[in-house]
């Protein structure tokens, strides 16, 4: 089965072709980061307009590059939520219209399910069940992934998401938006000079809280008479050490709680080198295996949506070509919605 995947939930237009026999045939992406960076965050109306501008040319280009004709597509998977409603509607209406025109099924996909399953795009893929650490701009969750569509949230953030904390700290240090990757690069040059809190490290079960950490960075920044490059590097270093320590410690706790020996890390913050390094180090000592998607599949992309669509094609009963999206959609309610 050949699945066309369409991602348009936020500021990335992602398109991919996934074949259930051959795997990923190709993918392409247009990022709107430059468009929104001037405003310091995503402007929903601009995001929708940009998706409209790029979505069809990207599909055309991918089909051409993969030497595939549009009528060989067997089904169309698209992100139906959560995300920005206007942006989601662009992907949804195109996917539904195309599915109608080609007379093939459409498969609405939960964006976070896409992230969760992204490590399955790799050759060495995890098998169900496994633990997932989902760390993105909007989410920080530890999830018991029992089977496709069966997700139990074991831990969640009580306030800011990990990516949000990276972005807010990056902003305090004068890095652009979204600054997660830039902050991480800066941290690589830093050394131990400052100590920042590790919120909820030993309390609140598997839940997280990162807003206090951001406030601690703000206090530290205000205390400096001059924010030199070296100080910035050392603050970035301290921040990254704190946040990755908490993410790793809670992940190991969740592995012990579930009895699983496999953890999948996904979402934009999953691209963080230090997080990867620490998890790999502990996986050797504590005897578990850690799976990461390729860096390009950590952040939003069409490949994870095409894959999720392929894996849940047999579950999806929707074939009514209706334009309906779910801007707010809990992963635990995935089966009851469409
Ligand atoms: O998964 P994603 O592309 O979008 C959401 O669904 O949220 O994640 C984006 C988030 C942003 O907060 C970004 O700053 C963060 O992932 N991010 C990183 C890194 N690369 C992206 N955070 C830390 N280190 C990185 N290398
Ligand atoms: Zn995402």
């Amino acid at each position: 089965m050949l699945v066309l995947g369409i991602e348009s939930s936020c500021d990335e237009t992602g398109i991919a072709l996934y074949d259930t026999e051959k795997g990923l045939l190709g993918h392409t992406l247009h990022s709107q980061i430059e468009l929104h960076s001037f405003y310091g965050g995503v402007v929903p109306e601009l995001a929708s307009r940009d998706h409209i501008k790029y979505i069809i040319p990207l599909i055309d280009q991918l089909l051409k590059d993969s030497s595939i004709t549009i009528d060989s597509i067997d089904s169309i998977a698209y992100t139906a939520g959560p995300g920005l409603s206007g942006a989601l509607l662009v992907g949804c209406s195109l996917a539904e219209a195309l599915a109608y025109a080609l007379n093939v099924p459409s498969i609405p996909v939960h964006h976070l399910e896409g992230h969760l399953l992204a490590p399955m795009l790799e050759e060495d893929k995890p098998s169900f069940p496994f633990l997932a650490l989902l760390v993105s701009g909007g989410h920080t969750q530890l999830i018991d992934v029992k089977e496709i569509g069966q997700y139990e949230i074991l831990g969640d953030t009580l306030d800011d998401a990990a990516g949000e904390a990276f972005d807010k700290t990056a902003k305090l240090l004068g890095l652009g938006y979204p600054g997660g990757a830039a902050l991480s690069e800066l941290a690589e040059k830093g050394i131990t000079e400052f100590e920042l809190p590790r919120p909820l490290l030993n309390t609140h079960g598997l839940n997280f809280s990162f807003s206090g950490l951001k406030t601690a960075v703000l206090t530290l920044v205000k205390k400096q008479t001059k924010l030199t490059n070296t100080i910035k590097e050392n603050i970035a270093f301290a921040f990254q050490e704190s946040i990755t320590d908490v993410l790793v410690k809670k992940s190991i706790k969740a592995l012990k709680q579930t009895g699983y020996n496999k953890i999948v890390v996904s979402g934009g913050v999953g691209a963080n080198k230090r997080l990867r390094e620490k998890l790999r180090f502990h996986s050797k000592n504590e005897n578990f295996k850690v799976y990461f998607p390729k860096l390009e599949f950590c952040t939003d992309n069409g490949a994870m949506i095409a894959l999720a669509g392929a894996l849940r094609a047999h579950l999806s009963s929707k074939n009514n070509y209706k334009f309906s999206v779910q801007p707010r959609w809990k992963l635990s309610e995935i089966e009851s919605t469409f």
Side-chain angles (χ1 to χ4, degrees):
M1 186 175 72
L2 179 61
V3 183
L4 172 71
I6 300 177
E7 155 63 30
S8 73
S9 65
C10 189
D11 57 349
E12 250 116 26
T13 321
I15 309 292
L17 284 164
Y18 184 87
D19 185 294
T20 45
E21 299 280 305
K22 299 178 194 148
L24 187 67
L25 300 184
H27 75 105
T28 180
L29 186 94
H30 168 70
S31 169
Q32 305 178 355
I33 284 183
E34 246 174 69
L35 178 72
H36 302 290
S37 62
F38 174 77
Y39 304 95
V42 178
V43 183
E45 180 61 25
L46 293 183
S48 313
R49 287 169 187 234
D50 212 55
H51 285 305
I52 290 172
K53 191 165 153 192
Y54 283 97
I55 202 160
I56 292 177
L58 284 173
I59 294 177
D60 279 346
Q61 191 61 46
L62 181 63
L63 288 169
K64 207 168 136 208
D65 292 349
S66 317
S67 305
I68 284 170
T69 54
I70 200 158
D71 48 19
S72 350
I73 292 170
D74 298 306
S75 53
I76 301 178
Y78 66 94
T79 305
L84 302 169
S85 43
L88 288 167
L89 272 169
V90 177
C92 165
S93 25
L94 181 72
E96 294 287 358
L98 205 52
Y100 179 73
L102 296 173
N103 194 23
V104 298
S106 60
I107 312 168
V109 170
H110 193 294
H111 180 78
L112 298 184
E113 181 173 63
H115 275 304
L116 276 186
L117 303 177
M120 290 185 156
L121 287 163
E122 305 309 314
E123 225 158 80
D124 181 19
K125 30 176 122 357
S127 55
F128 297 113
F130 53 79
L131 176 74
L133 171 67
L134 181 62
V135 269
S136 70
H139 294 84
T140 304
Q141 293 180 329
L142 279 161
I143 305 164
D144 177 352
V145 179
K146 299 171 204 289
E147 202 18 279
I148 186 90
Q150 285 180 37
Y151 310 118
E152 188 189 341
I153 314 293
L154 305 174
D156 209 336
T157 180
L158 305 177
D159 40 57
D160 291 354
E164 198 178 351
F166 264 97
D167 293 343
K168 286 179 175 170
T169 302
K171 206 169 177 179
L172 287 174
L173 297 180
L175 308 171
Y177 175 88
L183 183 81
S184 165
E185 264 176 48
L186 197 66
E188 275 178 39
K189 298 181 196 143
I191 53 161
T192 311
E193 180 186 353
F194 306 108
E195 198 60 38
L196 285 167
R198 282 151 174 73
L200 313 191
L201 189 65
N202 297 309
T203 60
H204 292 70
L206 298 174
N207 287 331
F208 303 92
S209 163
F210 296 120
S211 71
L213 181 55
K214 170 202 66 196
T215 312
V217 174
L218 177 64
T219 312
L220 191 57
V221 166
K222 279 187 177 161
K223 256 201 236 161
Q224 310 305 312
T225 38
K226 194 159 179 258
L227 206 55
T228 62
N229 279 342
T230 309
I231 290 178
K232 280 190 193 174
E233 287 161 13
N234 294 347
I235 293 177
F237 177 86
F239 170 82
Q240 184 166 263
E241 287 308 301
S242 291
I243 196 161
T244 51
D245 270 359
V246 178
L247 292 172
V248 170
K249 182 151 189 197
K250 297 256 173 178
S251 297
I252 293 172
K253 195 171 177 184
L255 280 166
K256 291 196 174 135
Q257 192 174 304
T258 51
Y260 293 160
N261 61 359
K262 279 172 278 181
I263 181 167
V264 153
V265 182
S266 54
V269 183
N272 186 271
K273 272 197 212 155
R274 190 68 179 128
L275 178 65
R276 288 179 171 230
E277 208 171 84
K278 283 186 182 174
L279 276 168
R280 284 206 181 99
F281 172 81
H282 286 284
S283 70
K284 289 190 191 110
N285 292 345
E286 313 249 355
N287 219 10
F288 61 86
K289 190 161 177 189
V290 55
Y291 296 86
F292 299 103
K294 272 197 197 78
L295 289 183
E296 62 192 312
F297 299 139
C298 280
T299 44
D300 293 350
N301 64 86
M304 66 183 195
I305 302 303
L307 169 80
L311 292 177
R312 67 165 35 253
H314 64 291
L315 296 173
S316 190
S317 57
K318 185 174 182 268
N319 207 352
N320 53 3
Y321 308 120
K322 227 168 64 183
F323 297 167
S324 114
V325 293
Q326 284 285 115
R328 288 174 178 274
W329 188 7
K330 284 192 187 153
L331 195 54
S332 50
E333 290 166 6
I334 192 165
E335 298 306 351
S336 57
T337 308
F338 282 99

